[in-house]
């Protein structure tokens, strides 16, 4: 099981407090869909997702950004129990949505970069290290029901 | 062979014209040493790397950061021929320095975060995509002479 120091817990919470879900939600998808275009295949029902402008104005993308970040919020509040908490979501992404789990890491990278753009020098190396550890645990929990 | 669009060339050149090699190089290497601590093993001759404060104030780390950025500048000036430009460097990292080539990607990721933090909202998804494409080509060229 992942061990968290008190400093790591407070660091993750401090970063998360600065994240505005409505602002960052669409941005993370814009980055994933533009930087890793093969991910568009998962969002066939979303309409126009083929340019940054279209993605940022797309209401389905915004809604999905919110869904993902609200799920991440649960992880921030339950850092000791992510695997169990995400078991059903992991199974859903595996069996029903058929998402390649490598893409979880790509999304995590884009979340970190979106946060870097917002926090700038406040995302110090130590804060980055802690935040990446947190997202790695999330990615692992989301991958846990795949085999 | 890699094909670059006009936008990608202009973007990569623009980024490198805006960043201070000393500052960005030092920040990227420091982040790598802090976020991925096993990379410290390559810098035994650099003296004190025992904690984040030591790393960020270490003059050898700073100097090496500048060396790396000047190396990247060669790639920026030779976008059509990055593979040939880095052939010798690749052999050096493989045969003499014995660096695990997976670490090139880690340094690239840290550099992306430093540039993102500096450019803020100007690090748009398209700029992000172009920069990552550039780094992917650099990493691939540096891996090239490894067997």
């Amino acid at each position: 099981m992942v061990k968290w120091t008190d400093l790591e817990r407070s660091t993750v919470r401090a970063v998360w407090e600065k994240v505005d879900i409505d602002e960052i939600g669409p941005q993370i998808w814009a980055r994933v869909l533009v930087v890793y275009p093969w991910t568009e295949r998962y969002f066939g029902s979303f309409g126009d997702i083929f340019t940054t402008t279209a993605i940022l104005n797309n209401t389905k993308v915004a809604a999905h950004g919110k869904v993902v970040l609200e799920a991440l919020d649960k992880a921030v509040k339950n850092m000791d129990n992510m695997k169990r908490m995400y078991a059903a979501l992991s199974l859903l992404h595996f069996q029903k949505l058929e998402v390649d789990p490598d893409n979880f890491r790509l999304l995590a990278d884009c979340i970190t970069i979106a946060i870097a753009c917002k926090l700038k020098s406040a995302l110090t190396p130590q804060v980055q290290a802690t935040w990446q550890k947190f997202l790695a645990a999330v990615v692992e929990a989301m991958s846990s029901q795949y085999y | 062979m890699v094909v670059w669009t006009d936008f990608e060339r202009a973007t990569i050149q623009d980024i490198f014209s805006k960043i201070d090699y000393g500052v960005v190089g030092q920040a990227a290497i420091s982040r790598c040493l802090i976020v991925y601590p096993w990379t410290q093993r390559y810098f035994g001759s650099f003296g004190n790397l025992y904690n984040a404060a030591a790393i960020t104030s270490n003059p050898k780390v700073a100097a090496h950061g500048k060396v790396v950025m000047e190396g990247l500048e060669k790639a920026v000036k030779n976008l059509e021929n990055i593979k040939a430009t880095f052939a010798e460097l690749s052999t050096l990292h493989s045969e003499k320095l014995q660096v695990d080539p997976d670490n090139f990607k880690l340094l690239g990721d840290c550099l992306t975060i430093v540039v993102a933090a500096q450019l803020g909202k100007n690090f748009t998804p398209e700029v992000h995509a172009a920069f990552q494409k550039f780094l992917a080509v650099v990493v691939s060229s540096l891996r090239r002479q490894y067997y």
Side-chain angles (χ1 to χ4, degrees), chain A residues 31 36 52 123 128 132, chain B residues 31 36 123 126 128 132:
Chain A
R31 285 185 192 281
Y36 310 109
T52 300
L123 189 75
Q128 178 193 336
Q132 284 193 201
Chain B
R31 254 171 222 273
Y36 310 110
F123 197 65
E126 288 85 6
H128 173 181
Q132 279 203 207

Side-chain angles (χ1 to χ4, degrees), chain B:
Chain B
M1 205 188 80
V2 186
V3 176
W4 302 99
T5 65
D6 290 339
F7 172 79
E8 286 165 344
R9 284 171 203 282
T11 297
I12 293 160
Q13 278 151 7
D14 186 54
I15 290 175
F16 274 80
S17 73
K18 284 194 170 93
I19 58 180
D20 177 325
Y21 291 1
V23 170
V24 167
Q26 189 236 20
I29 303 248
S30 301
R31 254 171 222 273
C32 205
L33 294 168
I34 292 166
V35 179
Y36 310 110
W38 59 86
T39 56
Q40 291 169 24
R41 71 181 296 287
Y42 295 113
F43 300 102
S45 66
F46 277 26
N48 187 355
L49 299 177
Y50 299 132
N51 52 47
I55 290 169
T56 48
S57 58
N58 186 310
K60 288 186 173 179
V61 168
H64 195 63
K66 201 159 177 207
V67 160
V68 168
M69 294 309 294
E70 284 163 355
L72 285 177
E73 190 190 48
K74 288 204 186 97
V76 175
K77 296 193 156 109
N78 282 287
L79 286 176
E80 307 310 326
N81 217 352
I82 296 182
K83 207 193 283 184
T85 305
F86 281 155
E88 260 184 60
L89 258 181
S90 178
T91 305
L92 174 78
H93 281 76
S94 160
E95 290 179 10
K96 191 168 174 229
L97 304 174
Q98 294 180 319
V99 174
D100 182 335
D102 288 345
N103 292 305
F104 300 147
K105 183 173 185 305
L106 300 183
L107 180 56
D109 287 350
C110 288
L111 182 57
T112 304
I113 288 184
V114 170
V115 169
Q118 196 167 316
L119 298 183
K121 63 181 192 303
N122 291 326
F123 197 65
T124 62
E126 288 85 6
V127 168
H128 173 181
F131 193 64
Q132 279 203 207
K133 175 175 170 175
F134 169 72
L135 287 180
V137 174
V138 165
V139 166
S140 165
S141 304
L142 280 172
R143 294 185 79 111
R144 198 73 176 74
Q145 302 304 322
Y146 286 70
Y147 49 83

Side-chain angles (χ1 to χ4, degrees), chain A residues 40-69:
Chain A
E40 286 166 4
R41 71 182 295 289
Y42 295 115
F43 301 104
S45 65
F46 277 26
D48 188 355
I49 48 167
F50 305 115
T51 62
T52 300
T53 315
I55 295 166
L56 290 173
N57 291 320
N58 185 309
T59 48
K60 289 187 174 179
V61 167
H64 197 59
K66 212 167 167 179
V67 159
V68 168
L69 292 181

Side-chain angles (χ1 to χ4, degrees), chain A residues 20-144:
Chain A
D20 176 341
I21 288 184
D22 291 316
E23 180 195 2
I24 300 277
Q27 278 181 31
I28 63 181
W29 288 114
R31 285 185 192 281
V32 169
L33 292 163
V34 168
V35 181
Y36 310 109
W38 58 86
T39 55
E40 286 166 4
R41 71 182 295 289
Y42 295 115
F43 301 104
S45 65
F46 277 26
D48 188 355
I49 48 167
F50 305 115
T51 62
T52 300
T53 315
I55 295 166
L56 290 173
N57 291 320
N58 185 309
T59 48
K60 289 187 174 179
V61 167
H64 197 59
K66 212 167 167 179
V67 159
V68 168
L69 292 181
E70 279 168 358
L72 204 56
D73 181 67
K74 289 206 188 95
V76 174
K77 299 187 160 109
N78 276 289
M79 283 167 68
D80 295 305
N81 218 350
M82 283 190 224
K83 211 190 250 186
R84 202 182 317 163
M85 199 176 63
Y86 280 147
L89 254 184
S90 177
L91 208 56
L92 173 79
H93 282 73
F94 170 44
Q95 289 181 337
K96 189 165 174 229
L97 304 174
E98 292 178 337
V99 174
D100 183 335
D102 286 346
N103 292 305
F104 299 148
R105 196 183 39 82
L106 301 183
L107 177 57
D109 285 351
C110 286
I111 291 173
T112 304
I113 288 178
I115 288 178
C117 288
K118 181 103 201 271
L119 267 59
K120 297 184 153 215
S121 59
L123 189 75
T124 64
Q126 298 94 302
V127 171
Q128 178 193 336
T130 301
W131 180 251
Q132 284 193 201
K133 176 179 171 177
F134 169 71
L135 286 183
V138 168
V139 166
E140 201 189 310
M142 281 300 294
S143 308
S144 66

